[in-house]
Amino acid sequence: DTLWDLAIAEVEKRENPDDDVKQGEFWEKSILFMGNKNGVMLNTVHYFSLHREETPKPTLALEYTFGRRARRHNTPKDVAHFWELGGGTSLLELIRIPITSHNIRSFAVVLVLDLSKPNELWTTMENLLQVTRNHVNKILVKLEKTNPVVAAELKQRMRNNLQRDHPDYELIDPFPIPLVIVGSKYDIFHEFDSELRKIVSKTLRFVSHYYGASLVFTSKSEALLLKARVLINHLAFGYDKSKSVSVDPSKPLFIPAGLDSLSQIGPPPASDSDIGKMRANTPLELWKKVFEKTFPPKSFCDLQDTKDPAQDIQYAEYEVDVMRAQKNQELEQYKRNASKSWKEMDFDSD
């Protein structure tokens, strides 16, 4: 979209607020960013959605920030809560902290995948989305008992990304909450062999469409980051999402949810004979096998981040660190004394 298109869309949004946000009320949404370890995901949020100039530090665990926007003059500001899960796939259990039964109706996920590391791509994506989906499904099961209307509404909402007359309506398996997949470091990825780029691009198109997600490729380029901003602002503040589409594998992909199709994506990038030899129970599993034949995955353990956040220099506090060192020494001494006392005990064999 041109700047003029974005300006028109924003004016229309302000003049025609969402039906579910009444006059005088404010919009409140939450977004969880997650992806490859060492990825700086909040740069996009800080630079574009929040317009903050400070450079965010790498996230080691779970970090929170927020942004506010006014839809019209003299109206309450809408609020967007931004969470970022650090450590790649090493801290999956923290996903349950930001996503709760209280905010599930207004929650979304942004999955950031490093395009420059295709051998890590599927494993990272699979583990993060699987844990998130399992947690959300548990919440939905509870809601079906306590508030079945809300549970039904959430399930139907994800189906609404695809029109009922879409040929793939019954063939996809939508993610239970809104999902955007971001392919980062496109500037490096663009230097890959064209055939390898096609495999990655085609696979991510399928995964995104199968999950009812939006897909965008980004880099440090301001023009590409602007594309990501459009999708994030749609999730965070309800702005209209762009209806433009870019599916050319030689260019950065940009496909809002519901605007792709299996017929346009085509079959998995493998010969018919190779596909015939692969045993798969679902289309997603078939695409995984084809993708990993070209990009053998790193093991799940290799993707674990074993660095202790407590040792990170950005959290250093002299007094606290000295006291902790002292307590560690006392603990080791206690262990040695306890070991000696146990060895010196006489146990009755009867």
Side-chain angles (χ1 to χ4, degrees):
D1 292 351
T2 64
L3 290 176
W4 184 247
D5 292 332
L6 294 172
I8 293 175
E10 186 161 339
V11 169
E12 290 178 347
K13 185 66 181 178
R14 291 178 179 178
E15 293 178 348
N16 302 287
D18 285 68
D19 294 336
D20 59 346
V21 181
K22 298 179 181 178
Q23 196 76 14
E25 295 183 352
F26 65 90
W27 170 294
E28 187 170 3
K29 297 288 184 178
S30 298
I31 301 176
L32 172 64
F33 288 77
M34 57 187 184
N36 294 81
K37 66 180 180 180
N38 302 324
V40 184
M41 291 169 270
L42 282 181
N43 269 338
T44 301
V45 179
H46 279 246
Y47 185 67
F48 280 120
S49 297
L50 304 183
H51 299 288
R52 295 177 182 169
E53 296 181 357
E54 71 268 19
T55 302
K57 297 177 180 178
T59 300
L60 294 177
L62 188 66
E63 186 162 325
Y64 168 80
T65 188
F66 70 94
R68 290 185 291 186
R69 291 278 182 86
R71 271 176 281 125
R72 295 177 303 280
H73 184 61
N74 291 331
T75 60
K77 289 186 176 181
D78 297 331
V79 180
H81 305 280
F82 297 105
W83 298 83
E84 180 181 1
L85 179 70
T89 56
S90 63
L91 299 170
L92 293 174
E93 67 277 5
L94 294 181
I95 287 175
R96 60 187 174 85
I97 294 176
I99 309 177
T100 69
S101 58
H102 299 292
N103 64 14
I104 190 68
R105 296 178 70 182
S106 59
F107 212 98
V109 169
V110 175
L111 175 66
V112 183
L113 300 173
D114 189 339
L115 295 175
S116 69
K117 299 177 180 178
N119 296 84
E120 297 181 10
L121 191 150
W122 193 284
T123 304
T124 298
M125 174 178 65
E126 184 176 57
N127 283 291
L128 287 170
L129 292 184
Q130 185 176 35
V131 171
T132 304
R133 184 168 207 157
N134 290 342
H135 175 61
V136 172
N137 284 340
K138 288 180 181 178
I139 293 177
L140 291 177
V141 169
K142 292 181 180 179
L143 279 177
E144 286 176 345
K145 298 177 181 178
T146 60
N147 198 331
V149 175
V150 171
E153 173 194 324
L154 286 169
K155 292 181 179 180
Q156 184 57 44
R157 183 198 302 171
M158 293 313 301
R159 280 282 176 185
N160 292 341
N161 278 334
L162 217 59
Q163 298 295 325
R164 284 189 173 275
D165 58 354
H166 193 290
D168 304 333
Y169 188 80
E170 298 296 336
L171 302 176
I172 65 171
D173 184 18
F175 204 68
I177 54 179
L179 172 66
V180 171
I181 298 178
V182 178
S184 67
K185 300 184 181 179
Y186 178 79
D187 50 337
I188 301 175
F189 176 70
H190 187 61
E191 302 300 322
F192 284 21
D193 176 80
S194 61
E195 288 304 313
L196 297 181
R197 290 204 314 271
K198 286 181 181 179
I199 294 174
V200 173
S201 298
K202 196 172 185 180
T203 299
L204 286 180
R205 280 184 65 186
F206 171 80
V207 172
S208 298
H209 183 59
Y210 186 75
Y211 282 138
S214 297
L215 175 65
V216 57
F217 284 0
T218 69
S219 69
K220 295 179 180 179
S221 161
E222 188 165 330
L224 293 186
L225 285 172
L226 183 61
K227 293 283 190 179
R229 178 192 174 188
V230 170
L231 294 176
I232 292 172
N233 277 336
H234 170 68
L235 296 178
F237 300 108
Y239 291 0
D240 290 336
K241 61 182 179 182
S242 173
K243 294 183 180 179
S244 66
V245 176
S246 175
V247 296
D248 186 345
S250 65
K251 299 178 181 178
L253 297 183
F254 181 80
I255 312 172
L259 299 185
D260 210 344
S261 68
L262 295 177
S263 60
Q264 292 178 341
I265 296 169
S271 65
D272 292 341
S273 59
D274 286 341
I275 291 178
K277 297 175 184 177
M278 296 178 180
R279 294 183 178 180
N281 296 320
T282 66
L284 190 66
E285 188 176 339
L286 177 61
W287 278 82
K288 175 184 177 181
K289 290 180 179 295
V290 172
F291 182 82
E292 292 185 342
K293 184 177 181 181
T294 303
F295 301 106
K298 287 190 175 183
S299 68
F300 181 67
C301 293
D302 290 339
L303 297 178
Q304 295 284 325
D305 191 348
T306 57
K307 184 178 180 180
D308 183 1
Q311 304 300 320
D312 193 277
I313 193 171
Q314 69 174 306
Y315 301 118
E317 292 188 39
Y318 178 75
E319 292 82 1
V320 175
D321 294 340
V322 169
M323 181 59 69
R324 175 168 178 167
Q326 178 184 328
K327 293 300 180 183
N328 284 340
Q329 291 178 357
E330 293 175 0
L331 177 61
E332 290 302 318
Q333 184 62 45
Y334 172 79
K335 289 179 179 178
R336 287 193 292 269
N337 293 339
S339 178
K340 290 179 182 178
S341 63
W342 277 100
K343 290 178 181 178
E344 292 172 355
M345 287 184 180
D346 292 327
F347 292 94
D348 191 343
S349 60
D350 294 338

